[in-house]
Amino acid sequence: MDRELRVDWIACEAFGMCHDLAPDLVALDDWGYPILPSPSEVAARAGDVQRIIDCCPARALSLVRRDGRTQGRRQQRSIGAVPHQGPRLRA
Amino acid sequence: MDGGFSLPPTRRLLGGPPLAGGREPLAEHRRRLGNPARGLTGEELIEALETSGLLGRGGAGFPVGAKWRRMAEVGQRRPVILVNGAEGEPLSAKDRVLMGVRPHLVLDGAALAAEALDAEEIVVYIGEEHGAARESIEQAIAERLVAGEGFGRPIRLVAAPMGYVSGEASAAVNRVNTGSALPTVSPPRPSEVGVAGRPTLVQNVESLAYAALIGMFGADWYREMGRLGSRGTALVTVGGEVARRGVREIELGMSLGELADAAGADRGTTRAVLVGGYFGSWIDAAEAWSLPLDPAIMRERGLSFGCGLVWFLPGGACPVAATARIMAFMAGNSAGQCGPCVLGLGAISNAMSGLAGGDGSKDDLARIERWAGMVRGRGACRHPDGAVEVLTSALRTFPAELEVHAGGTACGTTASCRRAA
């Protein structure tokens, strides 16, 4: 499964450790925030990617499945189970 | 209210009694539109929404049927319906007007969503500055309770604090949960983990009002309206240099020129039109009039219908100064959580103000273009993306004016430009 390297932008404090550890993988913008590699680079450099994730002082980096949706079906219940007189659908 | 219709005026978002009359009472609303039940099951209602092609009206334009479908199928817990009436767009008024004059249509949509998805609770989220809208919704809820029309589940109002990002879905959920209207990191999305940890349907008030109408009259009825790719009608807020400002309902696919004429804009003197809101785009008047106000077609052209704002910039106003004001607003309305948004929008705004005031240079212009790329997609929410959208449209639409300003002088030809300088 394709995985994407993500930054938690709220957590990121622009320490720049990711860039220091892998300058050819992570660039920095004008304010010191990371510009991240593409999923194909992430896949090709799994070891380096794990290292920068582990070394981030703000714990702001993570790998996310690209289709990252939680699955699981909720059982369809009959609607209008709670009695009331407002707009009603047929159960 | 000439929106270019050929359909009976009662069955519209703003159909019914004159808007100046204020809130439509429950009895009149029911007399006019009938009961929203219509004997549908929740499944049938969701199917009708999917077939209708209704797109969300909060700005992002996500298909409403697909959103409800996902809520019906995903997750084990009963969801929460978050009715989003936090209209943070400074120039937009359509949500507050809709809540103010047709609160029962919005509440019908909320009630149907709650029924169809077997919701635990309904939360109505309204901007604290929208006093009339809040009062109207409060009175409408009270009116229903007196009439014996409950919601079958708790319903409560939560005030959204002033601010552009307060209405963003994760910010809305965060406000209800913690009191802080700041966006949160996604995933998880509100549709998965929202209010009280429950899956939460965050849906704009206009979208819910239309869901109610589709519940009443069906998907085929909805699809009768719309001239081109997108179906239905939409609320738009018309502002800027026009004779008749305000909220009106248009048939989607209507051309921008037709709306300009209906609102009394002067095609000859308009320099550009801001479409979609502060997340939207400037469009050169030379290309504007033939543009269909149609979310599908606009998307194909890299534009956004957004919240339906249409704002006319006259030839007598400086577009650089106008854009600098928008960027200052967007920078000032960053939630202040994500570095690239805080620092990037701040830098862009400063540089734009400098350009507008005649203190800029060609280097500033180049920096602004580079920073745009460094801000897009780099926040917990889409605030920076939207700000960059309107910025890049300005770079595309006003190259000549920007060139003059980058030469170290304000263009000086217009009153607003001289003011900025």
Side-chain angles (χ1 to χ4, degrees), chain B residues 137-190:
Chain B
I137 292 280
E138 269 173 346
Q139 286 175 358
I141 291 172
E143 201 180 3
R144 283 176 179 233
L145 296 178
V146 168
E149 285 204 18
F151 293 83
R153 56 204 25 95
I155 182 166
R156 61 179 162 136
L157 265 69
V158 173
M162 288 273 281
Y164 197 82
V165 301
S166 297
E168 194 268 338
S170 74
V173 165
N174 195 20
R175 170 69 171 179
V176 177
N177 284 341
T178 72
S180 157
L182 297 176
T184 57
V185 172
S186 148
R189 300 187 184 93

Side-chain angles (χ1 to χ4, degrees), chain B residues 341-416:
Chain B
C341 180
V342 176
L343 300 170
L345 292 188
I348 289 169
S349 170
N350 285 339
M352 278 302 293
S353 296
L355 276 177
D359 301 323
S361 67
K362 290 211 169 14
D363 288 347
D364 286 321
L365 199 49
R367 268 193 287 275
I368 287 170
E369 285 174 28
R370 189 161 53 90
W371 287 336
M374 288 185 176
V375 168
R376 183 183 283 122
R378 302 180 77 230
C381 74
R382 293 178 47 79
H383 185 76
D385 309 29
V388 164
E389 195 61 41
V390 74
L391 174 72
T392 51
S393 78
L395 299 178
R396 189 170 66 230
T397 308
F398 309 123
E401 289 93 338
L402 283 161
E403 184 83 1
V404 171
H405 280 259
T409 53
C411 60
T413 53
T414 68
S416 67

Side-chain angles (χ1 to χ4, degrees), chain B residues 21-390:
Chain B
R23 182 176 66 87
E24 184 181 30
L26 180 61
E28 190 162 350
H29 167 78
R30 288 268 183 268
R31 235 188 343 265
R32 179 168 66 89
L33 296 170
N35 194 302
R38 216 181 62 112
L40 292 177
T41 65
E43 174 60 29
E44 285 162 353
L45 175 60
I46 294 174
E47 269 170 28
L49 292 174
E50 287 173 323
T51 308
S52 72
L54 175 66
L55 302 177
R57 302 296 171 76
F62 191 83
V64 173
K67 197 165 175 174
W68 290 32
R69 169 73 61 199
R70 186 189 294 177
M71 295 296 296
E73 292 182 347
V74 173
Q76 278 75 42
R77 306 181 66 191
R78 293 177 72 197
V80 171
I81 309 300
L82 198 157
V83 180
N84 195 352
E87 187 171 44
E89 273 279 346
L91 299 176
S92 178
K94 57 106 176 164
D95 288 338
R96 65 199 80 168
V97 165
L98 179 65
M99 289 184 281
V101 299
R102 299 292 179 265
H104 287 293
L105 200 53
V106 175
L107 292 176
D108 278 348
L112 290 181
E115 283 280 294
L117 301 173
D118 187 30
E120 175 77 15
E121 182 191 21
I122 300 170
V123 178
V124 188
Y125 185 62
I126 304 176
E128 64 183 7
E129 72 274 34
H130 309 333
R134 183 189 172 96
E135 199 172 306
S136 167
I137 292 280
E138 269 173 346
Q139 286 175 358
I141 291 172
E143 201 180 3
R144 283 176 179 233
L145 296 178
V146 168
E149 285 204 18
F151 293 83
R153 56 204 25 95
I155 182 166
R156 61 179 162 136
L157 265 69
V158 173
M162 288 273 281
Y164 197 82
V165 301
S166 297
E168 194 268 338
S170 74
V173 165
N174 195 20
R175 170 69 171 179
V176 177
N177 284 341
T178 72
S180 157
L182 297 176
T184 57
V185 172
S186 148
R189 300 187 184 93
S191 60
E192 295 164 340
V193 181
V195 171
R198 294 179 177 277
T200 299
L201 179 80
V202 182
Q203 194 85 73
N204 166 267
V205 289
E206 183 186 345
S207 314
L208 285 169
Y210 238 134
L213 288 173
I214 290 168
M216 293 167 191
F217 306 120
D220 290 343
W221 164 82
Y222 180 80
R223 296 189 63 80
E224 284 169 17
M225 291 171 282
R227 300 184 191 174
L228 300 165
S230 301
R231 313 316 305 164
T233 65
L235 300 183
V236 296
T237 309
V238 180
E241 189 83 346
V242 289
R244 290 175 287 283
R245 293 181 191 176
V247 175
R248 53 176 66 217
E249 184 169 6
I250 63 160
E251 183 172 13
L252 288 173
M254 176 189 209
S255 75
L256 182 47
E258 204 179 324
L259 178 61
D261 295 344
D266 185 340
R267 292 198 196 195
T269 58
T270 299
R271 169 67 185 88
V273 186
L274 179 67
V275 178
Y278 276 20
F279 269 30
S281 307
W282 286 112
I283 299 167
D284 196 304
E287 300 155 13
W289 311 128
S290 62
L291 177 76
L293 293 167
D294 179 308
I297 292 171
M298 290 174 72
R299 184 168 298 176
E300 280 167 22
R301 299 187 189 176
L303 304 169
S304 161
F305 185 77
C307 66
L309 176 76
V310 181
W311 197 87
F312 294 84
L313 180 77
C318 171
V320 180
T323 304
R325 278 194 294 274
I326 294 176
M327 296 316 295
F329 177 88
M330 295 305 268
N333 273 267
S334 167
Q337 300 189 108
C338 306
C341 180
V342 176
L343 300 170
L345 292 188
I348 289 169
S349 170
N350 285 339
M352 278 302 293
S353 296
L355 276 177
D359 301 323
S361 67
K362 290 211 169 14
D363 288 347
D364 286 321
L365 199 49
R367 268 193 287 275
I368 287 170
E369 285 174 28
R370 189 161 53 90
W371 287 336
M374 288 185 176
V375 168
R376 183 183 283 122
R378 302 180 77 230
C381 74
R382 293 178 47 79
H383 185 76
D385 309 29
V388 164
E389 195 61 41
V390 74

Side-chain angles (χ1 to χ4, degrees), chain A residues 3-43:
Chain A
R3 302 225 279 179
E4 188 182 347
L5 182 59
R6 285 235 184 124
V7 188
D8 177 338
W9 291 110
I10 298 176
C12 178
E13 297 284 352
F15 285 107
M17 196 72 90
C18 46
H19 171 73
D20 289 347
L21 290 170
D24 56 334
L25 197 62
V26 178
L28 297 181
D29 69 16
D30 286 12
W31 309 284
Y33 291 86
I35 297 170
L36 295 177
S38 66
S40 60
E41 289 173 284
V42 169

